[in-house]
Amino acid sequence: MGVRRPPALERIPPASQVHLDAREDIRRGQEPFARIMAAVKAMGPEQALILRAPFEPVPLLAALGKRGFAHWIDQNAPDDWTIWFYREPGATGHAAHVAPALPSSGGDTLVVDVRGLEPPEPMVRVLERLDALRPGQRLVVLHERRPMLLYPQLEDRGFTHETEEPEPGLVRIVVRCPAPPP
């Protein structure tokens, strides 16, 4: 892009830089979102994520912006982008806005309604809820459509799920956290 790197990035030492290259994953048709969010979740307040991607990940910019991250982009080639995600000095931790999961009538069921949210926000909210799910609990996700990228994420993490479409524009996914073995 030819624009000088922001001063906040110049102050981040190499030891505080978390590098993640998603180009090959995307070329193979794999979704790198869970890996990216795991890296973000593990980052300390003084660290920066340096993401390599084959395109400008506009929805990710918005999703991480809602969590308090600024970004700086450098386009190295038409299919090679470097995106720095960092917190401005003085910014407080994670500024994530996450709608609370609503408990249902049973204490073992949480409900999260992601209808009307722009991608990747529905995936982000569901994955955050899964991290908080205890063995034996279930999460009911209310969505507008079948989230095809979510299903492999659930299966990779050992969750079972059932999907139903009780009415047009409403998809209900019931995700169960497996109980620990006796």
Side-chain angles (χ1 to χ4, degrees):
M1 291 176 111
V3 177
R4 189 170 178 273
R5 191 177 288 180
L9 296 180
E10 300 296 336
R11 292 188 287 271
I12 299 173
S16 294
Q17 298 172 9
V18 178
H19 293 268
L20 196 153
D21 192 335
R23 293 173 297 173
E24 193 56 38
D25 289 347
I26 293 169
R27 287 186 187 109
R28 287 191 309 252
Q30 296 176 334
E31 173 59 52
F33 185 72
R35 255 184 11 138
I36 293 167
M37 294 312 291
V40 167
K41 187 175 181 179
M43 286 173 47
E46 302 298 320
Q47 290 184 298
L49 172 66
I50 297 92
L51 175 68
R52 295 285 295 272
F55 53 83
E56 182 179 10
V58 175
L60 184 63
L61 303 178
L64 292 183
K66 290 178 183 176
R67 284 168 173 65
F69 285 91
H71 65 271
W72 181 76
I73 300 173
D74 190 18
Q75 185 177 6
N76 309 306
D79 63 347
D80 183 11
W81 296 65
T82 302
I83 305 94
W84 289 67
F85 292 100
Y86 63 99
R87 293 179 183 91
E88 290 285 354
T92 57
H94 296 282
H97 169 72
V98 178
L102 306 170
S104 73
S105 56
D108 290 334
T109 301
L110 302 175
V111 178
V112 62
D113 188 343
V114 297
R115 293 174 290 181
L117 299 176
E118 292 291 322
E121 198 62 29
M123 175 82 86
V124 170
R125 293 199 185 179
V126 170
L127 293 177
E128 287 173 346
R129 295 294 183 251
L130 291 176
D131 288 342
L133 216 54
R134 295 185 320 267
Q137 283 189 315
R138 65 185 191 149
L139 175 67
V140 176
V141 179
L142 304 177
H143 211 304
E144 312 170 308
R145 61 188 179 287
R146 289 180 180 260
M148 301 311 290
L149 297 176
L150 175 63
Y151 298 132
Q153 297 291 329
L154 296 174
E155 291 160 8
D156 288 348
R157 295 168 183 223
F159 291 95
T160 59
H161 56 89
E162 299 167 10
T163 300
E164 64 179 2
E165 296 183 48
E167 61 187 65
L170 174 61
V171 174
R172 184 179 302 127
I173 304 114
V174 178
V175 181
R176 287 182 175 75
C177 185

